[in-house]
Structure formats: C-alpha cells, structure tokens
C-alpha cells in the first residue's frame, strides 16, 4: 500500500499529462521509454478535466497495463494510440449512476470527476487532505452495483488495445503467449466477495487503478464471477429500502441496521432479503455484544428467511450455509448437521456443501458418517483435494497408516481451500514416520514454513506465541524448584503408593489409549486431568495427592495431566509431539532398570534415574524405548509454562 506521499507523485507524474493530452495540445513530451510523442499540458485554465470518471479509469489503468505489457515484454509504448483507443471506447454513465454520484461532488462543478475522487482519497495538491473512507465506500458500492454493464466492455476494449496495435516477432509472440497463459491462471483463481456474497469487482478495479500497475491481473477474476441473485421479483421493488438498511450494516452500525431491517420485516413480512438482512444484523450484533442469545436469534431468523416462499436459490444457499456455520460456532453440532443435510438435498450437485457435511460429521465424532460422505464425493470428483485430505485423516484415525498417506499427500498438494491445515501436515508426517519414510521431515518443514508449526521439531498445534522454546529444562529455569525438591525428597513414598495400586498380577495400569505405541505395553494411572481430580483416584495414593495439593502450577494446569506411567519391556513409543506449548513435563524416576530405558527429545537422548526429575517440553518431538528386562515406572507431572501470565492460566481452554 502506498503512503499519501507516494501516491501524489504517481498521480502527478503519470495521470495528469495523459489526461491533459486529450485537450488537443501538441507539445512533444518524452514517454516512459524515451520515445517522443505528441501531447503535453493545456486545457482550460479555469477548470479541471472535462472527461468522465470512466475515461480517467481507462487511461490510468492503461498506464499500468501498457507499462507492464509494453515495457516488460515489448519495450514499446505508443501513448497516442492508447489515448485514441480510450476516447473511442469512452462511455457515459447511466442517468441513475450520474444521479447517485452527483451527491459526492466535492468541488461544486456539478458532476463527479477526477478531482472529486482525489478529494475522497485524500490526494489534494496541498497534501493536507485525508481520505474520506465513508463516502469513498459509498461510491465504490454504487460503482459495484451500477457498473456491471460497462465493466465487461472495458475488458473487451483492454484486450483489443493490448493485442491489436502490435505485430510481434517470434520472440515477442512467445512472450505474448506466456503472458496470456499467466492471465488465464489468474482467471481460474476465484474472487473475493462481501458478507452477503455480492462480488465487489468494480471496487477492486477502482483501487488497483489508483494503487497498482498490474491492473489487468487484479480485475480479470472479479469480472468472471457470476453475481449471486439475492432479490426475488418483489424484493426488487423495495431494493432502495433494502440497500439503505444494508449500507448501515456495512458501515459498522449493526444496531441501526437491525432496527432498519426490523421495520422492513414488519412492513414486508414476505420479503426473504429483508429477513436475511435482519439475520445478518443480529449476527453482527451478537459479535459486537459477545452474546450467545443474540446469536441464537440470528440462527432462528436465518431459518425463517429460508422458509419464506419465492426465496431465490442463491439466497437460500447463502442463508442456510451461514446458519450452519453459526450453529457450529455456538456448539449446536447436531443442528448444524441437519441444516447441512437439507442444503445437500436442495443442491445435490454442490461438492462444497457435501464436503461441509463431512466436516459436520467429524465435529460430532461420527467418523463413519464422514467417511461415507467423502467416499461419495471422491466417487464423482476423484481429484477433490478437500475430500482427499479429510478422507486420509479418517483412514489414519482408523490406524490404516499406509492407506492414509496418498490421500493426505495429494490433498495437501492440491492446494485447495481448506487443505492447508496444520493437522494434515501433522498427521501426514506422523504416518510417514511410522512407515519409515524420512520425507516426513520435508512435510514438517513445509508445515513450519506455512506457519503451522513453531519449528521442524516443535509441532504442537494449540500454542501461545512468544513463549520460551527449548526441548530440555532445568529446575532453576522453570522457577518450580520447590516442586522439584518435594518430588525428589519424597520419591520413595510416591513409589510405594504407586506400587500399591499397580495390578500385582499383571504389573499393569490402564492401557495407554492415544495410539502412540509401535509395540509393547504401556499403562497409566491418572490423578489429575485438565486441572481436575479424576474420580476417586487419589483415594489409592493419598500421600502423593497431599504433596501435590500445594502446587497449583501442577494441579491447576488445565492443559496437562498428573499420572503414573508403567512401561513393559519391548515397548517402543513412536516419535510424537504433545498438543500444546503451554506446559512443561516432569518425569520422576520411581522404578528404573539399570539398562535399556531411554527418551529422546529432538536430537538429544537422556536416561531416567530413580529419585531424580527430568524436565522437557513435550511440544517438541520425543520418542521412548523400553528394552530392559523388567518394567519401568515413572511419575509424570505437567506444569504451566513459567512464562504464562496468571490471566492466561485462568482463561486458556483445557486440553
């Protein structure tokens, strides 16, 4: 984004000479590439430019396009030809558009022209102006609504200007072919849209004409997108009233917008668009007030809008989709599932809706239902990246490691929206590690570069930024020296209570259930989970629990556990990472065989000792081997990361 100081020279150096050139003066001036052309200053001394705002857009836009195409590819610019073609193409706005824009005449000359646009942008010659964002937004909305007819004509003209004047040689033809290839790739990229699905193509064009030299690439895509039809026949008759209410909402005045839409709904109860606007305003108010009750009102109003007669298909789709999203946000997962099922019934050809339905099943923990949905999607769209990556995720959760890899990999490689998620990089890397494929670290590195992981080694997904990150810690570094001393001084008491609750016949606790073992037996006896005591577990080890009650950094750690861990000989725990960087993990050795037990964290391996505490950050990759001849017993105590504030410890969600 240019600063005000940078934009002013842009307009003075490039725009004004070209606009003045059309007044008929023939003073030679030097073009950007050193060629001489006819043109120069002139025009009426007492007034501003006499051309329509669209001509200004064309000329300014062509500066960017022609400079990019002619200078970069052909090194030739003939501005006379450009201006002549612009004058040929020049179009007058409709009476409706002229009438609407006249209200934004800032210099009193009776129309909306270049000088008025410069005032709205804060680009006055004395440098003292500031952008009038509110009025500018209104102008852009008007252009977006009323300018759709001539925007298509502009692109036809632009292509004609770019292609017809030149007769390139072989090298130039190759360059032109490459340029068109790049333009086609951009056209396939999709567009940005507003909250209610209305594409702001002309607004994007207007701003890129002022701030960007790459105009053609900035605006081809919006022109290709079909504008959704949200108004039925009746709603078109009250469009002005709907637009007035909608303008309040888009200007960040949800309370006023809600009142306006409520009046419209009361006056026109059968208007789907008015009801939809009311739901959107309630939605905005819920966000502003942080109110679940208001959000539930919005969810109900979205339903009412969808149930009205004569609702357009585009409005029906937008209404129900937003309703499903807000239901999920509010935790109404089954309600969201029902809404999405209705959407899929209404629009069975929409693959995106089916993918959303699969996610709804996953959010309910219904992997089987989600798997069926994604199998249906891949049956009709076998290259759909979103379905592939989610299907691979489900296969891995079923421990079908090798089968999951191609789906996860191809889904990520597709680059489709919704696939660039840290969980998928996490599980693809984990699956590759389990089959002995070291390319796992290539995917972890890519996940790090994409911002999903803190580093190649630290791959937790639920993090607080800025916390000190290192794999191994000392007691002094944590600040929890008192806790470490209590654990080490009382290790025999803790050990004896652990042995008392250990099943003497099997030497086992409850088996580990996180699917982290390649082989062997690994059991756990949990005392605290997510900052709360687990059932009656402390009754079996009362002294141990009494010792820990004094240390809220451990018992109050909502993102950790306190538990005994017993591992039998022949056990190997896969390389893995914990879920969060908000905790550190202490291991107190209780029963440690002399040989064969070790733990690796990143690239450093350490060994337990009876009565001693090891401290590491389990958000870093770690791996465990138990190759001794008897079991290994340790006491695990998770504590808050020492750099977390008291407020963060109280407000972070449990894991």
């Amino acid at each position: 984004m240019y600063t005000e100081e940078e934009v002013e020279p842009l307009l003075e150096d490039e725009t004004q000479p070209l606009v003045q050139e059309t007044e008929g003066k023939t003073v030679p001036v030097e073009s950007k590439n050193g060629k001489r052309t006819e043109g120069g200053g002139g025009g009426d001394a007492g007034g501003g430019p006499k051309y329509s705002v669209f001509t200004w857009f064309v000329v300014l836009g062509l500066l960017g396009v022609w400079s990019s195409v002619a200078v970069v590819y052909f090194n030739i610019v003939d501005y006379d030809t450009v201006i002549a073609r612009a004058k040929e193409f020049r179009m007058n706005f409709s009476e409706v558009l002229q009438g609407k824009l006249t209200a934004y005449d800032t210099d009193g000359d009776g129309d909306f022209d270049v000088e008025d646009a410069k005032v709205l942008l804060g680009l006055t010659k004395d440098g003292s102006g500031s952008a009038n964002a509110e009025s500018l937004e209104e102008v852009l909305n008007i252009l977006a609504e009323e300018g759709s007819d001539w925007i298509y004509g502009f692109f036809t003209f632009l292509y004609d200007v770019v292609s017809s004047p030149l007769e390139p040689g072989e090298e130039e033809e190759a360059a032109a072919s490459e340029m068109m290839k790049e333009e086609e790739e951009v056209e396939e990229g999709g567009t940005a849209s507003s909250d209610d699905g209305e594409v702001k193509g002309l607004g994007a064009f207007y701003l890129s004409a002022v701030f960007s030299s790459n105009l053609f690439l900035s605006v081809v895509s919006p022109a290709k997108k079909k504008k959704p039809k949200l108004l039925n026949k009746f709603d078109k008759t009250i469009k002005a009233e709907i637009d007035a209410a909608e303008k309040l909402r888009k200007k960040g005045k949800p309370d006023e917008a809600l009142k306006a839409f409520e009046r419209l709904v009361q006056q026109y109860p059968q208007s789907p668009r008015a009801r939809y606007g009311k739901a959107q305003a309630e939605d905005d108010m819920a966000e502003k007030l942080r109110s679940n009750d208001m959000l539930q009102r919005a969810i109900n109003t979205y339903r009412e809008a969808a149930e009205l007669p004569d609702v357009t298909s585009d409005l029906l789709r937008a209404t129900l989709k937003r309703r499903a999203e807000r239901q999920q946000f509010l935790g109404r997962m089954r309600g969201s599932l029902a809404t999405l099922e209705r959407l899929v019934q209404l629009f069975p050809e929409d693959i995106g809706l089916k993918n959303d339905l699969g996610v709804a099943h996953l959010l309910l923990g219904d992997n089987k239902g989600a798997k069926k949905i994604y199998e249906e999607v891949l049956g009709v769209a076998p290259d759909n990246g979103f379905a592939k990556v989610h299907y691979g995720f489900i296969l891995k959760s079923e421990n079908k490691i090798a089968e999951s890899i191609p789906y996860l990999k191809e889904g990520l490689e597709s680059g489709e929206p919704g696939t660039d998620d840290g969980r998928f990089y996490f599980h693809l890397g984990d699956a590759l590690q389990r089959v002995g494929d070291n390319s796992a670290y290539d995917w972890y590195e890519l996940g790090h570069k994409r911002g999903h992981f803190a580093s190649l080694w630290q791959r937790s997904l639920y993090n607080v930024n800025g916390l000190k990150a290192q794999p191994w810690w000392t007691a002094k570094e944590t600040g929890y020296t008192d806790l470490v001393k209590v654990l080490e001084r009382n290790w025999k008491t803790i050990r004896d209570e652990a042995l008392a609750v250990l099943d003497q016949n099997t030497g086992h606790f409850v088996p580990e259930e996180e699917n982290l073992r390649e082989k062997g037996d690994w059991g756990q006896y949990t005392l605290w989970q997510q900052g709360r005591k687990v059932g009656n577990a402390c009754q079996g080890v009362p002294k141990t629990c009494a010792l820990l009650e004094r240390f809220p950094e451990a018992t109050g750690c909502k993102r950790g556990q306190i538990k005994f861990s017993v591992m039998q000989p022949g056990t190997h725990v896969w390389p893995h990472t914990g879920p969060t960087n908000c905790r550190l993990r202490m291991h107190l050795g209780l029963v440690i065989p002399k040989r064969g037990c070790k733990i690796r964290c990143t690239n450093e391996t350490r060994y337990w000792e009876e009565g001693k505490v090891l401290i590491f950050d389990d958000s870093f990759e770690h791996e465990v081997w138990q190759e001794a001849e008897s079991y290994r017993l340790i006491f695990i105590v998770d504590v808050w990361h020492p750099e977390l504030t008291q407020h963060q410890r109280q407000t972070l969600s449990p894991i």
Side-chain angles (χ1 to χ4, degrees):
M1 181 64 69
Y2 292 100
T3 64
E4 183 174 310
E5 290 76 11
E6 291 169 320
V7 175
E8 185 65 33
L10 174 68
L11 293 176
E12 290 179 356
D13 294 345
E14 297 187 2
T15 308
Q16 291 179 359
L18 290 173
V19 174
Q20 292 167 356
E21 181 181 12
T22 62
E23 294 298 326
K25 294 290 181 180
T26 58
V27 179
V29 296
E30 189 165 279
S31 69
K32 294 289 183 182
N33 64 351
K35 291 188 177 292
R36 307 287 287 184
T37 62
E38 298 295 322
D44 294 340
K50 298 299 182 182
Y51 301 111
S52 72
V53 64
F54 179 72
T55 300
W56 180 65
F57 286 161
V58 171
V59 173
L60 185 58
L62 285 174
L63 273 173
V65 177
W66 207 241
S67 296
S68 298
V69 175
V71 175
V72 175
Y73 291 98
F74 310 116
N75 200 31
I76 296 174
V77 176
D78 184 352
Y79 286 130
D80 281 342
T81 302
V82 174
I83 296 301
R85 298 304 299 273
K87 291 169 69 175
E88 289 176 15
F89 181 72
R90 178 177 168 187
M91 300 177 64
N92 291 322
F93 289 121
S94 66
E95 292 183 5
V96 173
L97 184 58
Q98 286 282 14
K100 289 186 176 182
L101 289 180
T102 300
Y104 301 95
D105 172 30
T106 60
D107 56 11
D109 62 359
D111 64 356
F112 181 84
D113 54 22
V114 176
E115 297 305 318
D116 300 314
K118 288 168 69 176
V119 170
L120 292 185
L121 287 167
L123 304 178
T124 54
K125 285 191 175 182
D126 60 7
S128 61
S130 60
N132 186 337
E134 185 173 299
S135 295
L136 180 59
E137 180 185 7
E138 294 171 0
V139 169
L140 294 181
N141 286 337
I142 292 171
L143 291 174
E145 292 174 0
E146 303 294 341
S148 58
D149 291 338
W150 53 260
I151 189 73
Y152 289 100
F154 169 72
F155 291 121
T156 303
F157 156 72
L158 186 59
Y159 176 80
D160 194 27
V161 168
V162 169
S163 60
S164 61
L166 298 174
E167 297 179 1
E170 290 181 317
E171 292 182 3
E172 293 170 337
E173 288 177 347
S177 174
E178 183 65 21
M179 179 187 71
M180 292 304 296
K181 179 181 178 182
E182 291 176 2
E183 291 169 354
E184 290 170 359
E185 291 173 355
V186 172
E187 289 175 4
E188 296 172 358
T191 70
S193 61
S194 64
D195 287 344
D196 63 357
E198 297 184 37
V199 178
K200 301 301 182 185
L202 188 54
F205 156 67
Y206 177 80
L207 291 178
S208 61
V210 176
F211 294 115
S212 172
S213 64
N214 208 5
L215 171 70
F216 192 71
L217 299 184
S218 298
V219 296
V220 167
S221 186
K224 294 290 183 179
K225 180 110 176 184
K226 182 181 178 182
K227 186 175 180 179
K229 296 180 180 179
L230 304 182
L231 304 178
N232 64 14
K233 187 174 181 180
F234 172 76
D235 282 337
K236 290 179 181 178
T237 66
I238 59 169
K239 183 177 183 298
E241 296 171 78
I242 292 173
D243 288 347
E246 183 65 14
K247 184 164 70 172
L248 291 171
R249 192 180 74 82
K250 290 184 176 179
K251 287 168 65 175
K253 300 178 180 179
D255 47 350
E256 295 180 35
L258 180 55
K259 292 177 182 177
F261 277 115
E262 284 176 337
R263 287 193 295 269
L264 283 175
V265 168
Q266 186 174 8
Q267 189 173 358
Y268 310 111
Q270 295 304 304
S271 165
R273 181 62 183 86
R275 190 85 56 166
Y276 177 63
K278 177 174 178 282
Q280 287 184 302
E282 290 170 338
D283 205 336
D284 293 343
M285 283 296 294
E287 184 71 21
K288 179 180 179 179
L289 301 175
R290 305 294 188 199
S291 170
N292 288 345
D293 291 339
M294 181 61 73
L295 183 54
Q296 185 59 55
R297 278 181 56 184
I299 290 170
N300 293 339
T301 306
Y302 282 126
R303 184 198 67 235
E304 294 169 2
E307 292 175 348
L308 287 173
D310 300 324
V311 59
T312 68
S313 61
D314 287 344
L315 183 61
L316 181 61
R317 186 196 309 261
T319 299
L320 291 178
K321 189 167 184 179
R322 183 60 177 173
R323 183 171 192 259
E325 291 170 357
R326 304 315 280 161
Q327 286 174 307
Q328 286 183 3
F329 180 84
L330 201 55
R332 310 285 194 264
M333 300 304 178
R334 295 196 179 280
S336 176
L337 181 68
T339 301
L340 286 166
E341 285 176 338
R342 183 184 174 198
L343 265 170
V344 169
Q345 291 173 354
L346 292 168
F347 305 99
E349 304 303 318
D350 191 322
I351 297 299
L353 293 177
K354 287 186 177 180
N355 281 334
D356 290 342
L357 180 59
V359 171
H361 280 282
L362 287 174
L363 290 173
L364 277 170
D366 180 15
N367 287 15
K368 184 177 179 180
K371 186 177 182 180
K372 181 179 179 182
I373 295 294
Y374 291 124
E375 286 175 342
E376 292 175 0
V377 171
L378 293 172
V380 297
D383 294 327
N384 187 274
F386 187 95
K388 278 187 173 182
V389 80
H390 284 81
Y391 189 66
F393 176 80
I394 294 168
L395 289 176
K396 184 171 180 293
S397 72
E398 296 175 344
N399 212 30
K400 297 177 180 178
I401 306 300
E403 291 180 49
S404 72
I405 291 173
Y407 288 100
L408 287 166
K409 185 182 294 185
E410 291 170 15
L412 283 171
E413 289 173 341
S414 75
E416 292 184 16
T419 62
D420 188 23
D421 187 303
R423 291 169 295 181
F424 302 134
Y425 288 94
F426 184 98
H427 286 288
L428 173 57
D430 184 62
L432 289 168
Q433 282 183 303
R434 295 191 184 198
V435 298
D437 189 337
N438 286 332
S439 69
Y441 291 97
D442 296 331
W443 286 98
Y444 289 146
E445 182 62 28
L446 182 57
H448 166 54
K449 290 180 178 178
R450 294 284 177 87
H452 301 305
F453 306 138
S455 71
L456 174 68
W457 293 111
Q458 190 179 26
R459 303 190 298 271
S460 52
L461 297 175
Y462 302 93
N463 300 322
V464 170
N465 293 332
L467 298 181
K468 181 178 180 179
Q470 62 186 46
W472 293 100
W473 291 66
T474 66
K476 185 177 180 180
E477 286 174 324
T478 68
Y480 300 136
T481 53
D482 288 346
L483 172 59
V484 172
K485 288 177 181 178
V486 166
L487 292 174
E488 291 184 343
R489 287 171 182 168
N490 294 277
W491 76 273
K492 290 183 179 179
T493 299
I494 297 171
R495 179 199 62 189
D496 292 344
E497 287 196 331
L499 292 174
V501 296
L502 191 66
D503 189 323
Q504 297 301 316
N505 294 323
T506 62
H508 292 174
F509 289 132
V510 176
E512 173 271 332
E513 297 178 347
E514 297 179 67
N515 191 28
L516 298 176
R517 286 166 293 156
E518 177 190 7
K519 58 182 180 178
D521 294 312
W522 178 19
Q524 301 176 7
Y525 184 88
T526 304
L527 306 180
W528 272 268
Q529 176 98 8
Q530 298 182 341
R532 295 185 177 184
K533 285 185 178 179
V534 176
N536 298 322
C538 277
Q539 291 183 2
V541 288
K543 294 178 182 178
T544 300
C545 289
L547 289 171
L548 288 166
E549 294 282 7
R550 298 164 42 196
F551 301 100
E553 63 266 31
T555 59
C557 182
K558 295 185 293 182
R559 295 196 162 189
Q561 302 168 312
I562 299 175
K563 59 189 178 184
F564 294 103
S565 171
V566 63
M567 190 173 289
Q568 302 298 325
T571 300
H572 174 232
V573 178
W574 295 108
H576 64 286
T577 60
T580 178
N581 73 339
C582 294
R583 73 187 186 200
L584 301 179
R585 176 155 284 189
M586 297 183 178
H587 280 189
L588 172 65
L590 300 178
V591 178
I592 308 298
K594 291 184 178 181
R595 297 182 184 85
C597 296
K598 59 185 178 181
I599 178 171
R600 174 186 65 84
C601 188
T602 64
N603 54 6
E604 183 177 352
T605 300
R606 296 192 180 184
Y607 302 85
W608 295 277
E609 296 181 46
E610 292 183 356
K612 298 297 181 181
V613 170
L614 287 178
I615 307 173
F616 67 102
D617 183 338
D618 77 325
S619 64
F620 286 85
E621 180 181 292
H622 54 286
E623 183 177 9
V624 176
W625 295 266
Q626 214 289 44
E627 298 169 344
E629 296 180 355
S630 58
Y631 66 80
R632 180 227 65 182
L633 177 64
I634 63 173
F635 188 43
I636 298 176
V637 179
D638 290 336
V639 292
W640 283 118
H641 191 290
E643 292 183 354
L644 287 173
T645 67
Q646 194 60 37
H647 176 73
Q648 288 172 318
R649 299 181 188 198
Q650 292 173 349
T651 57
L652 283 170
S653 59
I655 293 178

